[in-house]
């Protein structure tokens, strides 16, 4: 079965979005890329800025807290992307498994029956922190705190390290796996 969905999991500033964009340019078929940031940006301001913390999402220096409404919308988002894949779109998902294995299970449930490639996107906490500082759009300390934590208990088909290898090299590994899995 052809790979229909690539799920990239890694902490903030690990290089997931850059990897997804590189994959879009490298893979021969068109792939749509969606980041958890896309979902967060689509939320009403009150759910995004922490003023409705019981329902939305709030981030501080080393934790991200999500509420019930965010969880509901996050699950709906996952099922919506899965529906797009079932309708024929090829999807790259860029996510941060803050809930560990439960986060991966939520995606497994949504993507049931689809051919999925699970990719762990790693980089050292110090590298993630330096990228975070250069970006300037995340609370300081978030990237370092997530760098290792989001991978605990997660099963992958492939892992890449964007801190020790160029993005193009990491993308080539993922693309080779996609092409091998799909028989293209």
């Amino acid at each position: 079965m052809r790979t229909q969905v690539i799920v990239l999991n890694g902490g903030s500033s690990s290089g997931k979005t850059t990897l997804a964009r590189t994959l879009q340019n490298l893979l021969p078929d068109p792939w749509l890329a969606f980041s958890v940031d896309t979902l967060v940006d689509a939320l009403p301001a009150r759910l995004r800025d922490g003023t409705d913390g019981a329902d939305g999402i709030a981030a501080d220096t080393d934790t991200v807290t999500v509420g019930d409404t965010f969880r509901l919308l996050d699950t709906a988002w996952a099922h919506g992307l899965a529906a797009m894949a079932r309708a024929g779109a090829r999807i790259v998902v860029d996510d941060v498994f803050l809930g560990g294995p439960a986060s991966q299970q939520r995606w497994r449930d949504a993507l049931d029956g689809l051919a999925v490639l699970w990719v762990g996107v790693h980089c050292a906490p110090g590298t993630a922190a330096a990228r975070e500082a250069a970006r300037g759009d995340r609370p300081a300390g978030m990237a370092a705190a997530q760098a290792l934590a989001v991978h605990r208990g997660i099963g992958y088909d492939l892992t890449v390290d964007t801190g020790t290898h160029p993005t193009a090299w990491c993308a080539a590994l993922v693309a080779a796996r996609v092409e091998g899995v799909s028989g293209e």
Side-chain angles (χ1 to χ4, degrees), residues 14-65:
S14 64
K16 300 177 308 297
T17 302
T18 303
L19 179 58
R21 294 291 179 218
T22 304
L23 283 166
Q24 286 181 300
N25 291 327
L26 184 61
L27 292 166
D29 293 326
W31 286 76
L32 303 176
F34 295 95
S35 166
V36 68
D37 291 338
T38 308
L39 170 64
V40 171
D41 290 344
L43 293 171
R46 71 181 185 280
L47 295 179
R48 232 183 11 249
D49 64 12
T51 59
D52 199 355
D55 282 331
I57 182 169
D60 61 32
T61 57
D62 62 355
T63 61
V64 176
T65 306

Side-chain angles (χ1 to χ4, degrees), residues 4-173:
Q4 296 162 286
V5 180
I6 301 167
V7 177
L8 306 174
N9 175 51
S12 179
S13 300
S14 64
K16 300 177 308 297
T17 302
T18 303
L19 179 58
R21 294 291 179 218
T22 304
L23 283 166
Q24 286 181 300
N25 291 327
L26 184 61
L27 292 166
D29 293 326
W31 286 76
L32 303 176
F34 295 95
S35 166
V36 68
D37 291 338
T38 308
L39 170 64
V40 171
D41 290 344
L43 293 171
R46 71 181 185 280
L47 295 179
R48 232 183 11 249
D49 64 12
T51 59
D52 199 355
D55 282 331
I57 182 169
D60 61 32
T61 57
D62 62 355
T63 61
V64 176
T65 306
V66 298
D68 292 339
T69 299
F70 178 84
R71 283 188 194 89
L72 174 76
L73 295 172
D74 191 32
T75 298
W77 179 68
H79 282 272
L81 293 180
M84 290 174 62
R86 288 187 181 91
R90 296 176 89 181
I91 308 289
V92 180
V93 175
D94 155 358
D95 204 348
V96 181
F97 290 177
L98 296 172
S103 294
Q104 186 174 35
Q105 188 59 51
R106 178 181 48 82
W107 276 109
R108 287 188 189 281
D109 293 345
L111 300 172
D112 186 46
L114 295 168
V116 180
L117 179 65
W118 299 93
V119 180
V121 181
H122 296 263
C123 76
T127 302
R131 290 175 181 173
E132 173 185 76
R135 289 173 68 163
D137 66 348
R138 300 284 193 271
M142 180 186 292
Q146 292 177 0
L148 302 175
V150 301
H151 298 293
R152 289 189 191 110
I154 306 300
Y156 297 114
D157 300 310
L158 177 67
T159 61
V160 296
D161 189 324
T162 64
T164 59
H165 295 95
T167 300
W169 186 86
C170 295
L173 284 180

